[in-house]
Amino acid sequence: RGISVEAGDTQNVDVALALGATVAGTVSDSNGALLEGARVYHISAEQASQRIPFLKANPEFERLTHAGRFELTGVPPGERVLVVEADGFLDVTKELGTLRDGERRLAVEVRLDVGRSVGGIILWPDGSPAVGADVRLAQKSEMMGMEVGRIKGEIQAGPDGSFNFPALGDGV
């Protein structure tokens, strides 16, 4: 960045490289069973403080667990937070504290919880299943003195009229 070279000229440039830290470990459910395909990434402590939990992040670097294991290399030094997401489980943020360049943390364990769920069956007045009915789940919250419902999820009822919203945290 910030270097320009005229056509036909050669410019020698010194580039300082940093090794970064390595963070590795396992992701399991609350019973200790290792989870395949969990999404693992790191963000700065500042990014973590501004993170909106129900919005999925688009990190520069992430790994999916393979046989419940992950390894992140080249993690920038400084205050870092590990974020782990998996379908059907509550997201977990784990503070890693200050990482140093070249540091290796190879035994980080993360356990995910299924949280709560809301489900049921939607029927038409005649008792038949409401196949394909749109179902929305909203969480009540207060904004500027008014009660609002923030949409947490939207799905369609199945062939028997059933629906299920898994991995819900606390709330009304």
Short mmCIF file of all heavy atoms in Angstrom, two decimals, residues 73-121:
data_model
loop_
_atom_site.label_atom_id
_atom_site.label_comp_id
_atom_site.label_asym_id
_atom_site.label_seq_id
_atom_site.Cartn_x
_atom_site.Cartn_y
_atom_site.Cartn_z
N THR A 73 -4.61 -20.20 12.25
CA THR A 73 -3.22 -19.74 12.22
C THR A 73 -3.17 -18.29 11.77
O THR A 73 -4.11 -17.78 11.16
CB THR A 73 -2.39 -20.60 11.25
OG1 THR A 73 -2.99 -20.55 9.96
CG2 THR A 73 -2.32 -22.05 11.72
N GLY A 74 -2.09 -17.62 12.09
CA GLY A 74 -1.91 -16.22 11.69
C GLY A 74 -2.86 -15.27 12.39
O GLY A 74 -3.19 -14.21 11.85
N VAL A 75 -3.29 -15.61 13.60
CA VAL A 75 -4.20 -14.75 14.35
C VAL A 75 -3.42 -13.50 14.80
O VAL A 75 -2.36 -13.63 15.41
CB VAL A 75 -4.78 -15.48 15.59
CG1 VAL A 75 -5.70 -14.57 16.38
CG2 VAL A 75 -5.52 -16.75 15.15
N PRO A 76 -3.92 -12.30 14.48
CA PRO A 76 -3.18 -11.08 14.84
C PRO A 76 -2.98 -10.97 16.35
O PRO A 76 -3.86 -11.36 17.13
CB PRO A 76 -4.09 -9.95 14.35
CG PRO A 76 -5.01 -10.58 13.36
CD PRO A 76 -5.16 -12.01 13.77
N PRO A 77 -1.84 -10.45 16.78
CA PRO A 77 -1.63 -10.27 18.21
C PRO A 77 -2.58 -9.22 18.78
O PRO A 77 -3.12 -8.39 18.04
CB PRO A 77 -0.17 -9.80 18.30
CG PRO A 77 0.21 -9.36 16.94
CD PRO A 77 -0.71 -10.02 15.97
N GLY A 78 -2.79 -9.28 20.07
CA GLY A 78 -3.68 -8.33 20.74
C GLY A 78 -4.82 -9.05 21.43
O GLY A 78 -4.84 -10.28 21.52
N GLU A 79 -5.78 -8.27 21.93
CA GLU A 79 -6.97 -8.83 22.60
C GLU A 79 -7.86 -9.47 21.54
O GLU A 79 -8.38 -8.77 20.66
CB GLU A 79 -7.74 -7.72 23.32
CG GLU A 79 -7.03 -7.15 24.52
CD GLU A 79 -7.13 -8.06 25.73
OE1 GLU A 79 -8.17 -8.70 25.92
OE2 GLU A 79 -6.14 -8.11 26.49
N ARG A 80 -8.08 -10.78 21.62
CA ARG A 80 -8.87 -11.50 20.63
C ARG A 80 -9.98 -12.28 21.31
O ARG A 80 -9.88 -12.68 22.48
CB ARG A 80 -8.01 -12.47 19.81
CG ARG A 80 -6.84 -11.86 19.09
CD ARG A 80 -7.19 -10.75 18.14
NE ARG A 80 -7.92 -11.22 16.97
CZ ARG A 80 -8.33 -10.41 15.99
NH1 ARG A 80 -8.10 -9.13 16.04
NH2 ARG A 80 -8.98 -10.90 14.97
N VAL A 81 -11.05 -12.50 20.54
CA VAL A 81 -12.20 -13.26 21.01
C VAL A 81 -12.49 -14.35 19.97
O VAL A 81 -12.49 -14.08 18.77
CB VAL A 81 -13.44 -12.34 21.18
CG1 VAL A 81 -14.68 -13.14 21.52
CG2 VAL A 81 -13.16 -11.28 22.25
N LEU A 82 -12.72 -15.56 20.45
CA LEU A 82 -13.06 -16.68 19.59
C LEU A 82 -14.58 -16.76 19.51
O LEU A 82 -15.26 -16.66 20.54
CB LEU A 82 -12.50 -17.97 20.19
CG LEU A 82 -12.52 -19.22 19.34
CD1 LEU A 82 -11.57 -19.07 18.17
CD2 LEU A 82 -12.12 -20.41 20.19
N VAL A 83 -15.13 -16.91 18.31
CA VAL A 83 -16.57 -17.05 18.13
C VAL A 83 -16.83 -18.41 17.50
O VAL A 83 -16.18 -18.78 16.51
CB VAL A 83 -17.15 -15.93 17.23
CG1 VAL A 83 -18.66 -16.09 17.08
CG2 VAL A 83 -16.81 -14.55 17.79
N VAL A 84 -17.78 -19.16 18.07
CA VAL A 84 -18.11 -20.50 17.56
C VAL A 84 -19.61 -20.56 17.33
O VAL A 84 -20.40 -20.23 18.22
CB VAL A 84 -17.67 -21.61 18.54
CG1 VAL A 84 -17.99 -22.98 17.97
CG2 VAL A 84 -16.19 -21.49 18.86
N GLU A 85 -20.00 -20.98 16.12
CA GLU A 85 -21.41 -21.09 15.75
C GLU A 85 -21.66 -22.46 15.13
O GLU A 85 -20.81 -22.97 14.40
CB GLU A 85 -21.78 -20.02 14.71
CG GLU A 85 -21.50 -18.60 15.14
CD GLU A 85 -21.61 -17.59 14.00
OE1 GLU A 85 -21.65 -18.01 12.82
OE2 GLU A 85 -21.64 -16.39 14.29
N ALA A 86 -22.80 -23.05 15.43
CA ALA A 86 -23.18 -24.33 14.83
C ALA A 86 -24.70 -24.40 14.78
O ALA A 86 -25.39 -23.94 15.70
CB ALA A 86 -22.63 -25.51 15.63
N ASP A 87 -25.23 -24.94 13.70
CA ASP A 87 -26.68 -25.08 13.56
C ASP A 87 -27.25 -25.88 14.72
O ASP A 87 -26.72 -26.93 15.08
CB ASP A 87 -27.04 -25.77 12.25
CG ASP A 87 -26.79 -24.89 11.03
OD1 ASP A 87 -26.71 -23.66 11.20
OD2 ASP A 87 -26.68 -25.44 9.92
N GLY A 88 -28.34 -25.35 15.31
CA GLY A 88 -29.00 -26.04 16.40
C GLY A 88 -28.40 -25.78 17.77
O GLY A 88 -28.82 -26.38 18.75
N PHE A 89 -27.39 -24.89 17.84
CA PHE A 89 -26.74 -24.57 19.11
C PHE A 89 -26.65 -23.07 19.29
O PHE A 89 -26.64 -22.31 18.31
CB PHE A 89 -25.31 -25.15 19.15
CG PHE A 89 -25.27 -26.65 19.16
CD1 PHE A 89 -25.25 -27.36 17.97
CD2 PHE A 89 -25.26 -27.35 20.35
CE1 PHE A 89 -25.22 -28.75 17.97
CE2 PHE A 89 -25.23 -28.73 20.36
CZ PHE A 89 -25.20 -29.44 19.17
N LEU A 90 -26.56 -22.64 20.55
CA LEU A 90 -26.34 -21.23 20.84
C LEU A 90 -24.90 -20.87 20.48
O LEU A 90 -23.98 -21.67 20.68
CB LEU A 90 -26.57 -20.94 22.33
CG LEU A 90 -27.99 -21.13 22.85
CD1 LEU A 90 -28.02 -20.99 24.37
CD2 LEU A 90 -28.92 -20.12 22.20
N ASP A 91 -24.69 -19.66 19.92
CA ASP A 91 -23.35 -19.18 19.62
C ASP A 91 -22.58 -19.00 20.93
O ASP A 91 -23.15 -18.68 21.97
CB ASP A 91 -23.39 -17.82 18.91
CG ASP A 91 -24.06 -17.89 17.55
OD1 ASP A 91 -24.38 -19.00 17.08
OD2 ASP A 91 -24.26 -16.81 16.96
N VAL A 92 -21.27 -19.18 20.85
CA VAL A 92 -20.40 -18.97 22.01
C VAL A 92 -19.30 -17.98 21.63
O VAL A 92 -18.71 -18.10 20.56
CB VAL A 92 -19.75 -20.30 22.48
CG1 VAL A 92 -18.63 -20.05 23.47
CG2 VAL A 92 -20.79 -21.21 23.09
N THR A 93 -19.07 -17.00 22.50
CA THR A 93 -17.90 -16.14 22.36
C THR A 93 -17.00 -16.43 23.55
O THR A 93 -17.46 -16.47 24.69
CB THR A 93 -18.27 -14.64 22.32
OG1 THR A 93 -19.01 -14.32 23.49
CG2 THR A 93 -19.09 -14.30 21.10
N LYS A 94 -15.74 -16.68 23.27
CA LYS A 94 -14.77 -17.04 24.31
C LYS A 94 -13.60 -16.07 24.23
O LYS A 94 -12.92 -16.00 23.22
CB LYS A 94 -14.30 -18.48 24.09
CG LYS A 94 -13.38 -18.99 25.16
CD LYS A 94 -13.04 -20.46 24.90
CE LYS A 94 -12.20 -21.05 25.97
NZ LYS A 94 -12.96 -21.60 27.07
N GLU A 95 -13.42 -15.31 25.31
CA GLU A 95 -12.31 -14.37 25.36
C GLU A 95 -11.00 -15.13 25.44
O GLU A 95 -10.83 -16.02 26.27
CB GLU A 95 -12.47 -13.44 26.56
CG GLU A 95 -13.66 -12.51 26.42
CD GLU A 95 -13.77 -11.52 27.57
OE1 GLU A 95 -12.76 -11.30 28.29
OE2 GLU A 95 -14.86 -10.96 27.74
N LEU A 96 -10.08 -14.78 24.54
CA LEU A 96 -8.77 -15.42 24.53
C LEU A 96 -7.75 -14.59 25.28
O LEU A 96 -6.63 -15.05 25.52
CB LEU A 96 -8.30 -15.63 23.08
CG LEU A 96 -9.15 -16.58 22.25
CD1 LEU A 96 -8.71 -16.54 20.80
CD2 LEU A 96 -9.10 -17.98 22.81
N GLY A 97 -8.12 -13.35 25.64
CA GLY A 97 -7.15 -12.47 26.29
C GLY A 97 -6.18 -11.94 25.26
O GLY A 97 -6.44 -11.91 24.07
N THR A 98 -5.01 -11.54 25.72
CA THR A 98 -3.99 -10.98 24.83
C THR A 98 -3.15 -12.09 24.22
O THR A 98 -2.55 -12.89 24.95
CB THR A 98 -3.09 -9.99 25.60
OG1 THR A 98 -3.91 -8.98 26.17
CG2 THR A 98 -2.07 -9.35 24.67
N LEU A 99 -3.11 -12.13 22.90
CA LEU A 99 -2.27 -13.09 22.18
C LEU A 99 -1.00 -12.37 21.74
O LEU A 99 -1.03 -11.21 21.33
CB LEU A 99 -3.00 -13.63 20.95
CG LEU A 99 -4.22 -14.51 21.21
CD1 LEU A 99 -4.91 -14.86 19.90
CD2 LEU A 99 -3.83 -15.78 21.95
N ARG A 100 0.13 -13.08 21.81
CA ARG A 100 1.40 -12.53 21.36
C ARG A 100 1.76 -13.13 20.01
O ARG A 100 1.36 -14.25 19.69
CB ARG A 100 2.50 -12.84 22.37
CG ARG A 100 2.30 -12.17 23.73
CD ARG A 100 3.41 -12.49 24.71
NE ARG A 100 3.79 -13.89 24.79
CZ ARG A 100 3.16 -14.82 25.51
NH1 ARG A 100 2.11 -14.49 26.23
NH2 ARG A 100 3.58 -16.06 25.52
N ASP A 101 2.54 -12.40 19.24
CA ASP A 101 3.00 -12.89 17.95
C ASP A 101 3.78 -14.19 18.15
O ASP A 101 4.67 -14.27 19.01
CB ASP A 101 3.88 -11.83 17.28
CG ASP A 101 4.14 -12.15 15.82
OD1 ASP A 101 3.18 -12.54 15.13
OD2 ASP A 101 5.30 -12.01 15.38
N GLY A 102 3.43 -15.23 17.44
CA GLY A 102 4.10 -16.53 17.54
C GLY A 102 3.57 -17.43 18.64
O GLY A 102 3.97 -18.59 18.72
N GLU A 103 2.66 -16.94 19.47
CA GLU A 103 2.10 -17.76 20.56
C GLU A 103 1.29 -18.92 19.98
O GLU A 103 0.66 -18.79 18.94
CB GLU A 103 1.22 -16.90 21.46
CG GLU A 103 0.66 -17.64 22.65
CD GLU A 103 -0.13 -16.74 23.59
OE1 GLU A 103 -0.15 -15.51 23.40
OE2 GLU A 103 -0.74 -17.28 24.52
N ARG A 104 1.29 -20.04 20.71
CA ARG A 104 0.53 -21.22 20.28
C ARG A 104 -0.36 -21.67 21.43
O ARG A 104 0.13 -22.14 22.44
CB ARG A 104 1.48 -22.34 19.86
CG ARG A 104 2.30 -21.97 18.64
CD ARG A 104 3.36 -23.01 18.30
NE ARG A 104 2.85 -24.35 18.10
CZ ARG A 104 2.31 -24.81 16.97
NH1 ARG A 104 2.19 -24.02 15.93
NH2 ARG A 104 1.90 -26.05 16.87
N ARG A 105 -1.66 -21.54 21.24
CA ARG A 105 -2.65 -22.07 22.21
C ARG A 105 -3.34 -23.24 21.53
O ARG A 105 -4.16 -23.04 20.64
CB ARG A 105 -3.66 -20.99 22.59
CG ARG A 105 -3.04 -19.88 23.37
CD ARG A 105 -4.03 -19.15 24.19
NE ARG A 105 -3.42 -17.93 24.69
CZ ARG A 105 -4.09 -16.90 25.13
NH1 ARG A 105 -5.41 -16.92 25.12
NH2 ARG A 105 -3.47 -15.84 25.57
N LEU A 106 -3.01 -24.41 21.96
CA LEU A 106 -3.42 -25.61 21.22
C LEU A 106 -4.45 -26.46 21.93
O LEU A 106 -4.80 -27.54 21.44
CB LEU A 106 -2.18 -26.45 20.89
CG LEU A 106 -1.06 -25.70 20.15
CD1 LEU A 106 0.12 -26.62 19.92
CD2 LEU A 106 -1.58 -25.11 18.85
N ALA A 107 -4.96 -26.03 23.08
CA ALA A 107 -5.90 -26.86 23.83
C ALA A 107 -7.13 -26.06 24.26
O ALA A 107 -7.61 -26.21 25.38
CB ALA A 107 -5.20 -27.47 25.03
N VAL A 108 -7.66 -25.24 23.36
CA VAL A 108 -8.85 -24.45 23.68
C VAL A 108 -10.07 -25.35 23.52
O VAL A 108 -10.27 -25.96 22.47
CB VAL A 108 -8.96 -23.22 22.74
CG1 VAL A 108 -10.24 -22.46 23.01
CG2 VAL A 108 -7.74 -22.33 22.89
N GLU A 109 -10.86 -25.46 24.57
CA GLU A 109 -12.07 -26.28 24.53
C GLU A 109 -13.29 -25.39 24.55
O GLU A 109 -13.38 -24.48 25.37
CB GLU A 109 -12.12 -27.23 25.73
CG GLU A 109 -11.04 -28.29 25.71
CD GLU A 109 -11.15 -29.25 26.89
OE1 GLU A 109 -12.17 -29.23 27.61
OE2 GLU A 109 -10.19 -30.02 27.08
N VAL A 110 -14.22 -25.65 23.64
CA VAL A 110 -15.46 -24.88 23.57
C VAL A 110 -16.62 -25.87 23.61
O VAL A 110 -16.66 -26.83 22.84
CB VAL A 110 -15.54 -24.03 22.28
CG1 VAL A 110 -16.84 -23.26 22.23
CG2 VAL A 110 -14.34 -23.10 22.18
N ARG A 111 -17.57 -25.62 24.52
CA ARG A 111 -18.77 -26.46 24.60
C ARG A 111 -19.97 -25.63 24.21
O ARG A 111 -20.14 -24.51 24.70
CB ARG A 111 -18.96 -27.01 26.02
CG ARG A 111 -17.92 -28.05 26.34
CD ARG A 111 -18.46 -29.07 27.26
NE ARG A 111 -17.46 -30.13 27.38
CZ ARG A 111 -17.72 -31.27 27.92
NH1 ARG A 111 -18.91 -31.52 28.39
NH2 ARG A 111 -16.78 -32.18 28.00
N LEU A 112 -20.80 -26.18 23.34
CA LEU A 112 -21.99 -25.49 22.87
C LEU A 112 -23.24 -26.07 23.54
O LEU A 112 -23.31 -27.27 23.79
CB LEU A 112 -22.12 -25.60 21.35
CG LEU A 112 -20.95 -25.03 20.54
CD1 LEU A 112 -21.25 -25.18 19.04
CD2 LEU A 112 -20.69 -23.59 20.88
N ASP A 113 -24.20 -25.21 23.78
CA ASP A 113 -25.45 -25.58 24.43
C ASP A 113 -26.58 -25.48 23.41
O ASP A 113 -26.59 -24.56 22.58
CB ASP A 113 -25.70 -24.61 25.60
CG ASP A 113 -26.92 -24.97 26.44
OD1 ASP A 113 -27.56 -26.00 26.17
OD2 ASP A 113 -27.22 -24.20 27.36
N VAL A 114 -27.53 -26.39 23.47
CA VAL A 114 -28.66 -26.34 22.54
C VAL A 114 -29.64 -25.24 22.90
O VAL A 114 -30.47 -24.85 22.09
CB VAL A 114 -29.41 -27.70 22.44
CG1 VAL A 114 -28.52 -28.75 21.81
CG2 VAL A 114 -29.94 -28.14 23.77
N GLY A 115 -29.57 -24.72 24.11
CA GLY A 115 -30.48 -23.65 24.51
C GLY A 115 -31.91 -24.15 24.63
O GLY A 115 -32.17 -25.31 24.91
N ARG A 116 -32.83 -23.26 24.37
CA ARG A 116 -34.25 -23.60 24.44
C ARG A 116 -34.81 -23.69 23.02
O ARG A 116 -34.18 -23.26 22.07
CB ARG A 116 -34.99 -22.51 25.21
CG ARG A 116 -34.50 -22.39 26.64
CD ARG A 116 -35.24 -21.26 27.34
NE ARG A 116 -34.91 -21.24 28.74
CZ ARG A 116 -34.02 -20.43 29.27
NH1 ARG A 116 -33.37 -19.58 28.53
NH2 ARG A 116 -33.77 -20.47 30.56
N SER A 117 -36.01 -24.23 22.91
CA SER A 117 -36.66 -24.28 21.60
C SER A 117 -38.14 -24.00 21.76
O SER A 117 -38.71 -24.16 22.83
CB SER A 117 -36.44 -25.64 20.93
OG SER A 117 -37.08 -26.65 21.67
N VAL A 118 -38.73 -23.55 20.67
CA VAL A 118 -40.17 -23.32 20.61
C VAL A 118 -40.67 -24.05 19.37
O VAL A 118 -40.11 -23.91 18.28
CB VAL A 118 -40.50 -21.81 20.48
CG1 VAL A 118 -41.98 -21.59 20.25
CG2 VAL A 118 -40.04 -21.06 21.72
N GLY A 119 -41.70 -24.84 19.53
CA GLY A 119 -42.23 -25.57 18.39
C GLY A 119 -43.70 -25.90 18.61
O GLY A 119 -44.26 -25.67 19.68
N GLY A 120 -44.30 -26.42 17.59
CA GLY A 120 -45.70 -26.80 17.68
C GLY A 120 -46.25 -27.21 16.33
O GLY A 120 -45.51 -27.44 15.39
N ILE A 121 -47.56 -27.27 16.26
CA ILE A 121 -48.26 -27.64 15.02
C ILE A 121 -49.33 -26.59 14.75
O ILE A 121 -50.08 -26.21 15.66
CB ILE A 121 -48.90 -29.04 15.13
CG1 ILE A 121 -47.81 -30.10 15.34
CG2 ILE A 121 -49.73 -29.36 13.90
CD1 ILE A 121 -48.33 -31.50 15.55
#
